Amino acid sequence: MSNTPSDPSTVPAAGSYVRKGFGLKAEVQETLAADYTGHLVDLLRERDYVLEAGDTTIRLAREFGFCYGVERAVDYAYQTRRKFPERRIFLAGEIIHNPHVNAKLQEMGVIFLSAKGKGFDYDPVEPQDVVILPAFGVTIQDFQTLRELGCVVVDTTCGSVLNVWKRVEAYARDGFTSLIHGKYYHEETRATASQVEKYNGGQYLVVRDMAEAELVMDYLEARAGVQPAREPLSREAFLERFAKAASDGFDPDVHLERVGVANQTTMLARESLAIGAAVGESMTRGYGEAHRAEHFRTFDTICSATQDRQDAVMELLRDPLDLMVVVGGYNSSNTISLAALCAEQVPTYHIADPDEIDVAGNHVRYRRIGAKHHEDEMQPWLSTEGPLRIGITAGASTPNNKIGQAVARVFAIRGVDAASIA
């Protein structure tokens, strides 16, 4: 990538906010293509998403890898480096949850800011610097800090995330507590939850899954005088359980009166929808239909790319497969959700990177399916004789070249040189 300085007259001044890039897409396209495209993925597309060599068959889900929001974020990051070749460029956290992409940005001299409290540590940033905001977005407190610093801000927040923010902000404006299906520690959920603070008294509560949502429903019904199926938590136990997942001052005796459901955009779509429906039904059991109509709201805020990739996996699994390989960062929620869907029907291996596959040793290192992170290994991994049908997909932050490399390594273990597939 060229390090030719930009025309000073076109460089944004300190304190500028950039949301639509710098018009340099054509200039960085060649570099992006070299870094992230993959020949084998192109070949899979050409052959109806199936490659066969001998008795080895690899099938690719029809929706996979980089989504529009991720492409935009990475593109803007490359444009920013091109626009400011001599300035320090900081990134709030990771641009997306993919180790390869983030490593590329570090090679380009982008400095990653570490987490601090519910946001990031901006102490190293000075007014003449540039700060890139990731696809997940940042909290309103982060925005305020950056305004006060007066640096150039390049905002790559995904449009789907912004749609959730609008929903949560509306809940807070109307006096509803936002019940967010997500991971309280995830950058996107932290940013989303912070939107309630635009209004005095705004509240949120984050639930990780249906099991945690049921704890909320039990408490809600017990307060209404209805005996739930399970023994509800005491107020003290409830506050302790959700201490890290609730807004400051959250009181379950007060703030579950009016509830609006939203979600982290990359969660398992069917679970988000099920949580929304179940909380509504709980509200009806506790207080009646008329109360629910006035005191409960829910909307599907899963992004279309997440939904499309989950739907494509379900379609792929309709045909018999011996195993699935899911490629994507171990901290990528949408990748974890894809792996969980696959694991319901077939042995599934979630790998962060093709390097997790050792061809010579027929060995794989992978993340076990489950809410908690735990890595495991298997050797030998693949049968080297007889027919084998393998499915593959990738999270929305996984570039095509990494998908292609994973396909090549699977073929290699089976004794097939991917270069011979024409």
Side-chain angles (χ1 to χ4, degrees):
M1 185 177 295
S2 172
N3 286 321
T4 303
S6 301
D7 178 353
S9 66
T10 70
V11 175
S16 296
Y17 173 80
V18 181
R19 172 76 189 157
K20 296 184 178 181
F22 298 101
L24 298 174
K25 188 175 183 66
E27 284 84 344
V28 302
Q29 197 58 44
E30 184 177 344
T31 303
L32 285 168
D35 285 347
Y36 301 123
T37 57
H39 164 70
L40 277 178
V41 171
D42 292 339
L43 193 60
L44 275 157
R45 282 197 180 106
E46 291 171 8
R47 299 191 178 180
D48 200 29
Y49 299 87
V50 180
L51 286 180
E52 294 181 291
D55 52 7
T56 303
T57 301
I58 292 183
R59 300 177 62 87
L60 176 66
R62 290 178 179 270
E63 296 288 343
F64 59 89
F66 272 12
C67 63
Y68 171 76
V70 165
E71 287 181 349
R72 175 180 171 278
V74 175
D75 175 24
Y76 283 11
Y78 274 57
Q79 287 191 40
T80 302
R81 179 74 283 175
R82 177 70 173 249
K83 189 70 175 179
F84 302 101
E86 297 178 353
R87 288 205 203 181
R88 293 197 308 171
I89 298 176
F90 292 90
L91 173 62
E94 298 182 339
I95 191 74
I96 56 174
H97 284 159
N98 182 274
H100 174 66
V101 175
N102 288 304
K104 282 286 184 181
L105 293 181
Q106 288 177 317
E107 290 173 10
M108 292 160 55
V110 176
I111 304 166
F112 285 42
L113 295 169
S114 58
K116 182 178 182 181
K118 294 183 178 181
F120 294 94
D121 183 2
Y122 297 101
D123 287 347
V125 180
E126 298 178 359
Q128 65 270 25
D129 295 328
V130 181
V131 175
I132 302 174
L133 307 186
F136 316 110
V138 297
T139 68
I140 60 172
Q141 294 86 359
D142 286 320
F143 273 112
Q144 181 59 37
T145 298
L146 290 167
R147 277 195 294 267
E148 293 170 357
L149 282 170
C151 57
V152 174
V153 174
V154 180
D155 187 357
T156 78
T157 305
C158 176
S160 294
V161 174
L162 294 176
N163 286 336
V164 183
W165 289 4
K166 292 175 184 176
R167 187 66 58 191
V168 168
E169 183 180 349
Y171 289 159
R173 180 195 63 212
D174 296 340
F176 284 69
T177 293
S178 291
L179 183 67
I180 303 169
H181 175 215
K183 302 170 183 177
Y184 70 83
Y185 51 83
H186 192 283
E187 300 98 314
E188 180 192 323
T189 297
R190 291 201 309 263
T192 295
S194 77
Q195 300 306 306
V196 308
E197 297 175 26
K198 292 180 178 178
Y199 294 90
N200 290 332
Q203 299 290 333
Y204 69 82
L205 179 66
V206 180
V207 292
R208 174 65 178 82
D209 49 27
M210 180 62 82
E212 288 199 342
E214 287 172 347
L215 296 178
V216 176
M217 291 185 278
D218 292 344
Y219 195 94
L220 185 156
E221 291 177 39
R223 281 198 66 250
V226 176
Q227 182 60 45
R230 298 160 293 272
E231 183 66 24
L233 295 175
S234 66
R235 182 177 183 278
E236 292 72 21
F238 190 102
L239 289 171
E240 181 178 358
R241 173 63 182 260
F242 293 102
K244 295 181 179 179
S247 48
D248 294 340
F250 178 84
D251 185 343
D253 291 340
V254 175
H255 298 125
L256 294 180
E257 178 72 15
R258 309 180 84 191
V259 174
V261 178
N263 55 268
Q264 183 180 314
T265 60
T266 52
M267 300 300 283
L268 194 58
R270 70 181 186 198
E271 187 170 32
S272 286
L273 293 172
I275 287 172
V279 174
E281 292 165 3
S282 176
M283 188 78 78
T284 300
R285 287 193 298 271
Y287 296 99
E289 191 62 47
H291 179 95
R292 167 182 170 162
E294 295 291 329
H295 294 76
F296 175 73
R297 297 178 186 174
T298 186
F299 295 89
D300 175 12
T301 50
I302 287 287
C303 81
S304 59
T306 296
Q307 184 70 65
D308 290 346
R309 280 149 185 73
Q310 292 177 11
D311 289 346
V313 155
M314 297 307 294
E315 181 67 27
L316 179 65
L317 292 171
R318 289 184 180 181
D319 293 328
L321 294 171
D322 296 306
L323 62 92
M324 277 291 304
V325 176
V326 181
V327 188
Y330 289 152
N331 57 345
S332 166
S333 288
N334 75 85
T335 308
I336 290 170
S337 294
L338 285 172
L341 274 178
C342 296
E344 293 176 355
Q345 299 189 41
V346 67
T348 298
Y349 301 88
H350 173 186
I351 62 171
D353 188 272
D355 290 343
E356 305 287 8
I357 300 173
D358 172 24
V359 174
N362 190 3
H363 172 276
V364 66
R365 184 171 182 83
Y366 62 98
R367 182 189 187 277
R368 282 187 188 175
I369 309 302
K372 294 186 177 180
H373 182 80
H374 185 91
E375 294 179 29
D376 209 339
E377 301 178 48
M378 180 175 288
Q379 186 181 30
W381 177 39
L382 300 180
S383 169
T384 55
E385 297 181 357
L388 191 65
R389 298 158 301 182
I390 300 169
I392 190 163
T393 190
S397 53
T398 306
N400 284 358
N401 64 334
K402 293 301 173 183
I403 302 170
Q405 288 170 20
V407 170
R409 291 188 179 217
V410 168
F411 271 130
I413 290 176
R414 295 280 293 175
V416 177
D417 180 359
S420 69
I421 303 175

